[in-house]
């Protein structure tokens, strides 16, 4: 009986800890949004433009099949782990990956993911 109560207590403590961590992330995102709005307003009031920071991650999805594809494009898609149509991957943005994406642009679509789409992907396909 004592072991079961101990497990129950540990689970309760762990659940509270997880909830606090989630609250911290929510607070952090809200703070980032407020900072972004504040910086935009400051720039506008000063007669300047606000340029947001460079994105760090893109999400790429393969939208076309293999018909009449050059070997170079096929190899790039393999390197990007986009072997089948409708496959998607998160990619770190750097000079090499952006050049590869530009080379296979007719076969893929890509963009910066927002929090909502990442959350939906993780809920649906995350392991």
């Amino acid at each position: 009986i004592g072991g079961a109560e101990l497990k129950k207590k540990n689970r309760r403590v762990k659940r509270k800890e997880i909830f606090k961590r989630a609250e911290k992330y929510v607070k952090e995102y809200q703070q980032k949004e407020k900072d972004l709005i504040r910086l935009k307003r400051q720039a506008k009031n000063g007669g300047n433009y606000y340029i947001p920071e460079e994105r760090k991650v893109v999400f790429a999805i393969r939208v076309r099949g293999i018909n009449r594809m050059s070997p170079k494009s096929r190899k790039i898609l393999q390197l990007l782990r986009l072997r089948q149509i409708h496959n998607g991957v998160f990619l770190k943005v750097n000079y090499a990956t952006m050049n590869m994406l530009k080379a296979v642009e007719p076969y893929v679509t890509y963009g910066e993911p927002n929090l909502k789409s990442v959350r939906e992907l993780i809920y649906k396909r995350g392991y």
Side-chain angles (χ1 to χ4, degrees):
I1 297 173
E5 289 179 21
L6 186 64
K7 283 183 181 179
K8 198 173 185 180
K9 185 179 178 185
N10 285 344
R11 219 178 300 131
R12 194 178 308 128
V13 169
K14 198 168 189 177
R15 215 175 20 227
K16 281 184 181 179
E17 184 181 311
I18 289 170
F19 189 75
K20 282 183 183 177
R21 196 177 312 139
E23 279 184 333
K24 189 180 89 174
Y25 287 137
V26 168
K27 199 178 285 186
E28 186 179 319
Y29 277 110
Q30 287 174 343
Q31 186 62 42
K32 276 190 174 184
E33 286 179 16
K34 286 179 183 176
D35 288 344
L36 180 70
I37 292 169
R38 183 181 52 80
L39 289 170
K40 282 183 181 179
R41 286 179 181 163
Q42 271 183 346
K44 190 174 180 182
N45 289 339
N48 296 321
Y49 295 103
Y50 174 73
I51 299 171
E53 62 182 18
E54 291 289 318
R55 59 184 175 214
K56 296 180 176 96
V57 173
V58 294
F59 186 72
I61 302 173
R62 180 153 173 190
V63 291
R64 278 184 61 195
I66 60 168
N67 291 346
R68 295 189 299 266
M69 186 187 298
S70 69
K72 189 174 183 180
S73 298
R74 191 174 295 145
K75 183 64 179 174
I76 291 172
L77 287 171
Q78 284 178 0
L79 291 170
L80 294 174
R81 303 182 318 250
L82 294 170
R83 296 176 193 276
Q84 293 180 355
I85 193 168
H86 303 305
N87 276 13
V89 290
F90 288 100
L91 299 168
K92 202 155 125 179
V93 174
N94 58 33
Y95 184 75
T97 55
M98 290 313 290
N99 276 343
M100 287 198 291
L101 282 172
K102 284 177 187 161
V104 293
E105 211 160 11
Y107 306 101
V108 299
T109 182
Y110 61 94
E112 186 177 3
N114 61 11
L115 186 63
K116 179 179 178 269
S117 58
V118 172
R119 183 178 288 134
E120 287 174 357
L121 278 168
I122 298 293
Y123 281 151
K124 185 170 184 177
R125 295 288 176 170
Y127 298 110

